């Protein structure tokens, strides 16, 4: 294990003749030519590092910085993020679908009720603008209904900042292209789990004989040529596809080179963490990677992505949990509201019902406060808290673990996190690509 130490709030390690520095509180990084010991190198460049916000001054309580940014997001009621699943309907039968064990026979509220729910949430938080994420099921099966809802927001003078969609990518037509352009959708997240054979084995069309992979590739070409939308290619790594992942990347580079390597890339890559559906499934029981093997696989693939100079949307192995943000809400088809996208449809993560929000908002607020993630004392004093936010409660519940603590994982891979942070630069909001090392000296 590489020697990693915390100096003035930053993680610091060495590699050959370089000192690598990553500040987890500010997400800044730097590389220095090693001059003596690590401590001597930091001391000789201390003013430079402080001026560039790479390290903090002596005796500075840097945990207050993380708390500032956490509270800034937590109590920023100007913007509300709504992820809405109008239905659980989908045109695929995916072997590891997160909703396969979710109770789906529920009453769907109608569009007038859904718009009323959105407006009441906006008024409850007094939000000035709204980010929207189309979710499902397969949301593009419902694009006409989303169209009416978006129009309803605009008629009520609600400012829509961004609209994104999480889609399987198999559905596209002229009407959907017009819909994307009408509302200037920002991005589509499309999951591709491997090259053609591997992807088609696990993401099976309900239409007999239809092969999703080729549909997805053709539709991505259509999206890119006819709209300005960004495409995030999401891949969930497991035992069955981990050795095929780089083959997929090479194939996509061949097909979409101009969009991947443009100054403002329109195809971005995300590596996902395999989770068990609630009550698990045969597929995930057989194929999910143990934590240690998953982390090794993740970082191996990340280094390869960075060295191929493609854009990535995260330098961490899993997203920081949103469960502590009261303004990030997920809505089910029946109008119930949740604070975890993986926990959609599960009572453990339900904040309130449609009736609560429309008739008893006080109860909804109380539930929202009670459902916020509770970080224990050990979390608050842990040196990895800026990266972890207490781990994933859904993963803990679905895998029947006693704790979601990730300290052991970070202990093993903090060197990889530092190295990756110093290998890349942020070229757009949450978009990273390999940097030129020489620029740091």
């Amino acid at each position: 294990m590489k020697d990693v130490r915390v100096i003035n709030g930053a993680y610091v390690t060495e590699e050959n003749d370089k000192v690598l520095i990553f500040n987890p509180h500010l997400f800044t990084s730097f590389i220095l030519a090693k001059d003596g010991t690590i401590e001597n190198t930091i001391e000789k460049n201390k003013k430079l590092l402080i001026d560039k916000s790479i390290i903090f001054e002596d005796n500075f309580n840097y945990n207050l910085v993380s708390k500032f940014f956490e509270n800034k997001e937590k109590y920023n009621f100007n913007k509300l993020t709504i992820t809405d699943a109008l239905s659980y309907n989908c045109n695929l039968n995916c072997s590891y679908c997160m909703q396969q064990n979710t109770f789906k026979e529920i009453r769907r509220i109608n569009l007038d009720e859904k718009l009323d729910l959105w407006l009441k949430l906006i008024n409850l938080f007094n939000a000035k603008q709204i980010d929207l994420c189309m979710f499902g099921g397969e949301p593009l099966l419902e694009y006409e209904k989303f169209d009416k809802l978006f129009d309803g927001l605009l008629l009520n003078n609600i400012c829509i900042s961004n609209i994104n969609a999480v889609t399987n990518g198999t559905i596209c037509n002229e009407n959907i292209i017009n819909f994307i352009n009408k509302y200037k959708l920002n991005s589509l997240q499309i999951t591709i789990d491997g090259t053609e054979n591997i992807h088609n084995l696990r993401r099976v069309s309900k239409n007999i004989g239809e092969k999703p992979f080729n549909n997805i590739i053709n539709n991505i070409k259509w999206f890119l040529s006819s709209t300005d939308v960004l495409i995030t290619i999401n891949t969930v790594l497991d035992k069955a596809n981990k050795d095929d992942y780089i083959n997929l990347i090479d194939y996509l580079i061949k097909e979409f080179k101009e969009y991947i390597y443009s100054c403002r890339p329109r195809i971005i890559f995300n590596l996902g963490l395999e989770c068990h559906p609630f009550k698990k499934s045969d597929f995930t029981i057989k194929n999910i990677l143990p934590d240690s093997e998953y982390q090794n696989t993740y970082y191996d693939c990340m280094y390869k992505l960075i060295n191929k100079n493609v854009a990535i949307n995260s330098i961490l192995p899993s997203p920081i949990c949103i469960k502590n943000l009261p303004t990030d809400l997920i809505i089910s088809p029946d109008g119930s509201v949740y604070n975890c996208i993986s926990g959609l449809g599960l009572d453990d993560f339900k904040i309130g019902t449609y009736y609560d929000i429309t008739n008893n908002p006080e109860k909804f607020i109380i539930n929202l406060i009670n459902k916020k993630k509770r970080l224990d004392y050990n979390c608050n004093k842990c040196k990895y808290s800026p990266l972890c936010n207490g781990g994933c409660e859904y993963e803990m519940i679905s895998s029947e673990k006693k704790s979601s603590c990730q300290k052991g994982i970070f202990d093993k891979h903090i060197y990889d996190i530092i190295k990756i942070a110093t290998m890349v630069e942020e070229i757009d909001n949450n978009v990273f690509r390999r940097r030129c090392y020489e620029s740091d000296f």
Side-chain angles (χ1 to χ4, degrees):
M1 185 182 297
K2 288 275 189 175
D3 180 30
V4 175
R5 57 200 77 180
V6 178
I7 300 177
N8 289 50
Y11 301 133
V12 183
T13 190
E14 60 181 307
E15 183 180 73
N16 301 324
D17 59 346
K18 298 183 178 71
V19 172
L20 312 182
I21 313 167
F22 171 52
N23 188 319
H25 307 275
L26 300 171
F27 258 68
T28 54
S29 61
F30 208 71
I31 305 168
L32 291 169
K34 189 178 178 185
D35 186 1
T37 66
I38 288 178
E39 286 79 6
N40 286 341
T41 304
I42 297 295
E43 188 63 34
K44 291 174 182 178
N45 294 276
K46 196 169 189 177
K47 185 178 185 308
L48 171 69
L49 295 173
I50 291 173
D51 288 345
K52 287 186 171 290
S53 301
I54 308 299
I55 65 172
F56 298 108
E57 294 184 1
D58 295 339
N59 301 318
F60 183 82
N61 187 349
Y62 45 79
N63 287 319
L64 292 177
V65 176
S66 291
K67 185 61 66 176
F68 168 81
F69 285 113
E70 178 187 336
N71 289 337
K72 180 174 178 288
E73 292 298 318
K74 187 187 302 184
Y75 302 114
N76 176 18
F77 294 156
N78 286 323
K79 181 185 288 187
L80 183 66
T81 299
I82 291 178
T83 298
D84 201 302
L86 293 188
S87 82
Y88 293 131
N89 294 338
C90 187
N91 60 321
L92 298 184
N93 279 322
C94 297
S95 56
Y96 62 87
C97 176
M98 292 295 291
Q99 293 169 354
Q100 61 188 269
N101 298 322
T102 301
F103 182 64
K104 299 178 182 179
E105 299 301 320
I106 55 177
R107 171 190 172 266
R108 291 177 61 178
I109 60 175
N110 62 44
L111 292 185
D112 288 337
E113 291 171 318
K114 183 61 67 97
L115 179 60
D116 181 51
L117 176 64
W118 285 11
L119 292 173
K120 280 186 165 53
L121 287 170
I122 292 166
N123 290 332
L124 185 62
F125 287 93
N126 196 27
K128 302 298 185 292
Q129 52 186 312
I130 183 171
D131 281 359
L132 295 165
C133 179
M134 300 165 58
F135 198 64
E138 172 46 53
L140 292 183
L141 288 172
E142 307 275 342
Y143 81 90
E144 292 174 297
K145 295 176 181 177
F146 276 110
D147 188 1
K148 292 178 182 178
L149 287 169
F150 297 162
D151 266 346
L153 288 178
L154 295 176
L155 287 173
N156 281 274
N157 298 313
I158 301 299
C159 175
I160 305 175
S161 303
N162 289 294
I163 302 175
N164 307 301
V166 178
T167 170
N168 60 41
T170 61
I171 302 173
C172 187
N173 54 47
E174 289 289 351
N175 290 332
I176 289 175
I177 292 295
N178 292 336
F179 168 77
I180 291 172
N181 287 328
K182 176 181 178 180
Y183 294 104
K184 297 180 173 57
L185 264 68
N186 178 260
S187 69
L188 303 177
Q189 177 179 301
I190 299 174
T191 295
I192 306 180
D193 281 326
T195 51
E196 184 174 0
N197 289 338
I198 285 181
H199 184 82
N200 288 341
L201 276 174
R202 61 181 63 196
R203 298 176 76 79
V204 180
S205 176
K206 292 180 180 178
N207 297 321
I208 297 174
E210 189 175 90
K211 303 298 183 183
F213 184 87
N214 288 332
N215 282 348
I216 294 170
I217 299 303
N218 290 331
N219 288 341
I220 289 176
K221 291 177 181 177
W222 200 351
F223 291 136
L224 291 170
S225 63
S226 301
T227 76
D228 292 326
V229 74
L230 301 177
I231 305 289
T232 297
I233 303 294
N234 180 61
T235 304
V236 176
L237 297 174
D238 55 41
K239 294 177 183 177
N241 72 349
K242 64 186 181 68
D243 294 329
D244 185 60
Y245 180 63
I246 298 304
N247 294 331
L248 169 66
I249 300 303
D250 289 338
Y251 171 83
L252 294 174
I253 289 172
K254 181 180 177 182
E255 291 289 319
F256 301 106
K257 187 173 183 179
E258 64 178 298
Y259 296 105
I260 291 173
Y261 289 121
S262 59
C263 292
R264 183 176 180 267
R266 291 185 59 199
I267 293 183
I268 301 158
F269 295 92
N270 177 71
L271 283 176
L273 172 64
E274 179 78 279
C275 291
H276 289 297
F278 196 67
K279 298 184 180 178
K280 305 186 180 180
S281 70
D282 290 340
F283 181 89
T284 54
I285 290 171
K286 180 180 178 181
N287 288 290
I288 200 166
L289 289 163
D291 285 345
S292 59
E293 187 178 352
Y294 170 76
Q295 300 297 326
N296 291 335
T297 300
Y298 173 87
Y299 287 110
D300 179 60
C301 290
M302 281 292 288
Y303 286 127
K304 290 175 180 176
L305 285 176
I306 293 168
N307 287 327
K308 287 181 180 292
N309 203 30
V310 303
I312 57 177
N313 71 346
S314 178
I315 63 173
L316 297 176
S318 59
I320 294 176
C321 182
I322 67 168
K323 195 171 182 290
N324 222 27
L325 299 180
T327 55
D328 211 327
L329 305 174
I330 300 93
I331 304 177
S332 76
D334 68 349
S336 295
V337 179
Y338 298 79
N339 59 2
C340 172
I341 198 164
S342 297
L344 184 65
L346 305 178
D347 287 341
D348 283 317
F349 300 96
K350 184 187 289 187
I351 306 170
T353 65
Y354 171 75
Y355 179 87
D356 292 334
I357 295 160
T358 55
N359 294 281
N360 191 0
E362 294 82 5
K363 179 180 177 182
F364 172 75
I365 292 296
I366 291 170
N367 287 343
L368 181 64
I369 293 169
N370 286 335
K371 287 281 188 178
K372 284 196 325 182
K373 178 181 288 190
R374 302 286 187 233
L375 300 183
D376 64 25
Y377 177 72
N378 290 325
C379 283
N380 288 323
K381 67 179 183 179
C382 177
K383 66 180 179 181
Y384 300 125
S385 60
L387 303 175
C388 174
N389 195 27
C392 175
E393 289 189 13
Y394 174 84
E395 198 268 341
M396 179 182 72
I397 292 171
S398 64
S399 297
E400 301 172 338
K401 296 181 178 179
K402 294 182 179 179
S403 169
S404 58
C405 178
Q406 301 180 61
K407 185 176 184 300
I409 294 172
F410 284 113
D411 276 338
K412 185 174 180 181
H413 289 286
I414 186 61
Y415 167 78
D416 295 300
I417 293 172
I418 299 169
K419 185 173 181 181
I420 287 171
T422 56
M423 289 176 69
V424 301
E425 60 184 340
E426 192 170 20
I427 60 173
D428 204 346
N429 186 35
N430 291 322
V431 179
F432 303 86
R433 193 149 64 182
R434 187 181 179 102
R435 77 166 87 200
C436 177
Y437 272 66
E438 287 73 20
S439 65
D440 286 334
F441 296 102

